[in-house]
Amino acid sequence: MGEKYHIYVASLDVESHESIQKCVEEVQELLQKEGLNCLINNAAINVEGDFHTVSAEKMIKNFHTNAVAPLMITKPIWRQKMMLLSSSYFSGRLLSSAGVLRFPFSAAVKYSILSLSVALLLIALGILAWQAFRCFRRPAPIHPLPEAVNRDLLHTDDVSEITRQYKGMPTIKVEDVDTDILKSTEQRGEDKKFDGWLHYSLYYDDQQHHLVVTVLEVEGLHQERQTCSLQLFVQVKLLWTGPEMEGPYIDEGGKGKPLTLCTVLQDWRTRIVKGTCNPLFGDQFSCILHNEKELEHIDLRMEVRDFDKFSRHTALGEVRTPLRRLNISYPLELKGKLNTPRKDLVGEVLLSLKFLPTSQRIEVGVLKVRTVHKELHLDAALYVRISVQCNQCKLKYQKTSAVLRGTMTVFNEVLVFSLPELPLQECKILVNVFETHSSRKSSKNLIGQLTVNKDKNSENEHWALILRSIRQPIARWHSLLI
């Protein structure tokens, strides 16, 4: 037989103090000294209503029933070891359980997350402080220095490590390039005059086979644009001139000609100096020439340019120096006057053009590209990129496949461009030839470019021929310049 349980039912109104007192006396009389060891306060109410309909009477009744009444019932019969359960206890446990479920991590994990958050915050503050430091450390505009500083520039501590290897250099000799060396070069320029001079130095180390070019400073420039400051840099090119070539190649005037082409051995750029018309550079460049006789075929071309963030740099003038006319077995400092920039012939491109007015398209055929090279690499290849701009509308560029480079590189590819509208009043065909190397990551470099133009008032000979011979391909040789 199981243990018998006795149940006693006592009536109680939690809102009536007399009913509570009567129930307490009844329970004490029933239990005597044993007392009550467990009390469950489960009587509660819920006021129905929202923010707009609830009244003060309902709120007072709710508070009295759910808060005051359990206290008045428990107080007379409270014992030290009595268990007390109420509806508020269950709700508290439920909220506590929800909080535990929301963050089910141990204290170690919580402290780890807190430590990681603090570390990320410190890293972010460090980056912010570094950016602020760099902002305040921006260099101020460079002001021109006296001429005496330029004469001793190669002997200061700021000269690069390449110059430090040249020991026992004789005293630097200064010459005026414009009056002695570059007189013939200036005569080939246009009539437009450029103000300004470029200071630079040259040196060829016969033992280490190094050609060293140092761009010192530019002085005497005149700033025509008053709205924005100049951002000057110097682009330095070493041009190697190949031997004169004979062949059945035709220039744009329709006459046969022997070709003397050049190629770019090195292309360097100095740093950009802002806010001054007399920038001081001091940048040094070097390359290896195995034989001093190679200097007889090399010209130095230096262009002073105003930087543009869209790569539309403005050429302010150039200085050319044929190295075969100089004795640079010791450091030689030169001063050259800025002249009108001009292009150099680096090759020829045989283009075929065909105009189809009915289908509103033009076909550009890349047949052959003729260039010269000093040392031909086995992985060197050429490709041609063509852009067409018609009636102020720029079409998407197209390019040929890459072909292994030779003295005569044969493509025989035709690219078709759909014209936006007719009549064809203005049209510009821009041809760029690039060299790539499969063994290098950043291997694309520009060999040269040419433009075939037609506007409202004039057109070149090739355009005149294709407009007279509609639907017939016309091929012509064009000069490739850089």
Side-chain angles (χ1 to χ4, degrees), residues 410-471:
V410 180
F411 290 91
N412 288 335
E413 295 188 31
V414 177
L415 306 177
V416 180
F417 295 87
S418 297
L419 302 178
E421 59 183 6
L422 292 178
L424 192 63
Q425 296 180 349
E426 297 179 356
C427 190
K428 177 181 179 181
I429 302 176
L430 179 62
V431 181
N432 295 277
V433 180
F434 292 92
E435 182 185 40
T436 61
H437 295 269
S438 57
S439 61
R440 305 176 190 174
K441 292 183 179 180
S442 301
S443 58
K444 182 180 78 171
N445 62 294
L446 180 65
I447 297 296
Q449 58 183 195
L450 65 93
T451 304
V452 183
N453 272 329
K454 177 192 180 304
D455 54 31
K456 296 179 181 179
N457 301 322
S458 63
E459 58 193 24
N460 65 5
E461 183 180 356
H462 201 172
W463 265 112
L465 289 175
I466 64 173
L467 292 178
R468 289 198 300 264
S469 305
I470 295 178
R471 300 182 182 86

Side-chain angles (χ1 to χ4, degrees), residues 203-234:
Y203 174 62
Y204 179 73
D205 185 2
D206 192 22
Q207 296 181 353
Q208 299 186 11
H209 306 290
H210 271 93
L211 174 64
V212 181
V213 180
T214 306
V215 180
L216 300 177
E217 69 169 339
V218 176
E219 65 176 17
L221 280 179
H222 176 66
Q223 182 176 355
E224 297 180 355
R225 299 178 300 171
Q226 302 296 333
T227 56
C228 57
S229 61
L230 294 175
Q231 303 181 59
L232 300 179
F233 70 94
V234 180

Side-chain angles (χ1 to χ4, degrees), residues 73-274:
I73 296 173
T74 306
K75 189 176 179 180
I77 59 176
W78 173 256
R79 294 175 63 236
Q80 186 69 26
K81 296 182 179 180
M82 186 177 68
M83 180 180 293
L84 178 62
L85 301 176
S86 68
S87 58
S88 61
Y89 172 81
F90 291 110
S91 62
R93 290 292 297 172
L94 182 61
L95 291 175
S96 178
S97 301
V100 173
L101 291 175
R102 192 177 302 158
F103 302 101
F105 305 116
S106 63
V109 176
K110 292 180 181 179
Y111 284 120
S112 299
I113 295 175
L114 179 61
S115 302
L116 180 60
S117 302
V118 173
L120 293 176
L121 176 61
L122 293 177
I123 293 174
L125 291 176
I127 295 175
L128 180 61
W130 171 245
Q131 293 296 334
F133 176 76
R134 290 185 58 189
C135 180
F136 288 111
R137 284 287 303 273
R138 285 182 179 176
I142 300 177
H143 300 284
L145 298 179
E147 187 176 356
V149 177
N150 303 330
R151 297 293 181 261
D152 301 329
L153 184 60
L154 292 180
H155 301 283
T156 62
D157 294 335
D158 295 330
V159 181
S160 67
E161 293 297 328
I162 298 176
T163 306
R164 298 180 191 276
Q165 301 175 1
Y166 306 141
K167 298 181 179 179
M169 295 183 182
T171 305
I172 296 176
K173 181 181 179 182
V174 180
E175 296 182 3
D176 190 347
V177 182
D178 298 88
T179 56
D180 299 330
I181 302 174
L182 299 181
K183 186 175 181 181
S184 60
T185 305
E186 292 180 4
Q187 293 175 351
R188 293 195 299 266
E190 299 178 2
D191 294 333
K192 183 178 179 180
K193 295 183 179 180
F194 285 78
D195 296 329
W197 297 78
L198 175 63
H199 293 253
Y200 59 101
S201 69
L202 301 173
Y203 174 62
Y204 179 73
D205 185 2
D206 192 22
Q207 296 181 353
Q208 299 186 11
H209 306 290
H210 271 93
L211 174 64
V212 181
V213 180
T214 306
V215 180
L216 300 177
E217 69 169 339
V218 176
E219 65 176 17
L221 280 179
H222 176 66
Q223 182 176 355
E224 297 180 355
R225 299 178 300 171
Q226 302 296 333
T227 56
C228 57
S229 61
L230 294 175
Q231 303 181 59
L232 300 179
F233 70 94
V234 180
Q235 186 167 19
V236 183
K237 292 181 183 291
L238 283 184
L239 303 176
W240 182 80
T241 304
E244 190 176 85
M245 301 179 182
E246 300 289 343
Y249 305 106
I250 303 173
D251 61 6
E252 296 180 0
K255 300 179 181 180
K257 64 171 183 178
L259 292 179
T260 302
L261 306 179
C262 64
T263 186
V264 179
L265 293 182
Q266 297 290 337
D267 192 352
W268 302 305
R269 269 181 50 170
T270 66
R271 59 190 176 91
I272 298 174
V273 179
K274 303 179 182 180

Side-chain angles (χ1 to χ4, degrees), residues 263-436:
T263 186
V264 179
L265 293 182
Q266 297 290 337
D267 192 352
W268 302 305
R269 269 181 50 170
T270 66
R271 59 190 176 91
I272 298 174
V273 179
K274 303 179 182 180
T276 177
C277 294
N278 301 280
L280 179 66
F281 294 99
D283 293 358
Q284 191 174 83
F285 311 98
S286 68
C287 67
I288 298 177
L289 298 178
H290 298 288
N291 193 341
E292 190 175 1
K293 294 182 179 180
E294 296 181 16
L295 297 175
E296 299 178 0
H297 303 279
I298 295 178
D299 291 349
L300 179 65
R301 168 180 154 189
M302 293 170 288
E303 284 188 353
V304 180
R305 295 191 170 193
D306 186 12
F307 176 80
D308 179 76
K309 63 181 180 180
F310 299 107
S311 299
R312 297 173 298 192
H313 311 308
T314 303
L316 303 180
E318 73 169 15
V319 173
R320 290 175 178 262
T321 306
L323 299 187
R324 59 183 174 273
R325 301 185 181 184
L326 300 174
N327 179 15
I328 54 175
S329 57
Y330 54 88
L332 180 64
E333 183 176 338
L334 305 172
K335 177 182 177 182
K337 190 178 187 307
L338 295 180
N339 299 305
T340 304
R342 60 183 179 86
K343 302 293 185 179
D344 291 282
L345 181 65
V346 294
E348 284 195 333
V349 179
L350 182 58
L351 283 183
S352 171
L353 300 180
K354 182 167 70 172
F355 178 47
L356 303 173
T358 304
S359 57
Q360 288 188 308
R361 66 181 185 181
I362 186 170
E363 297 181 357
V364 182
V366 183
L367 306 181
K368 299 178 182 180
V369 175
R370 177 181 175 85
T371 57
V372 67
H373 47 81
K374 182 175 179 291
E375 295 179 358
L376 184 61
H377 300 276
L378 297 178
D379 63 339
L382 297 181
Y383 74 89
V384 181
R385 190 181 73 180
I386 298 179
S387 303
V388 176
Q389 183 174 348
C390 179
N391 294 346
Q392 304 299 325
C393 179
K394 187 175 182 181
L395 308 181
K396 184 179 180 181
Y397 73 84
Q398 300 183 41
K399 60 182 182 179
T400 67
S401 57
V403 180
L404 289 178
R405 181 178 182 179
T407 303
M408 181 70 71
T409 307
V410 180
F411 290 91
N412 288 335
E413 295 188 31
V414 177
L415 306 177
V416 180
F417 295 87
S418 297
L419 302 178
E421 59 183 6
L422 292 178
L424 192 63
Q425 296 180 349
E426 297 179 356
C427 190
K428 177 181 179 181
I429 302 176
L430 179 62
V431 181
N432 295 277
V433 180
F434 292 92
E435 182 185 40
T436 61

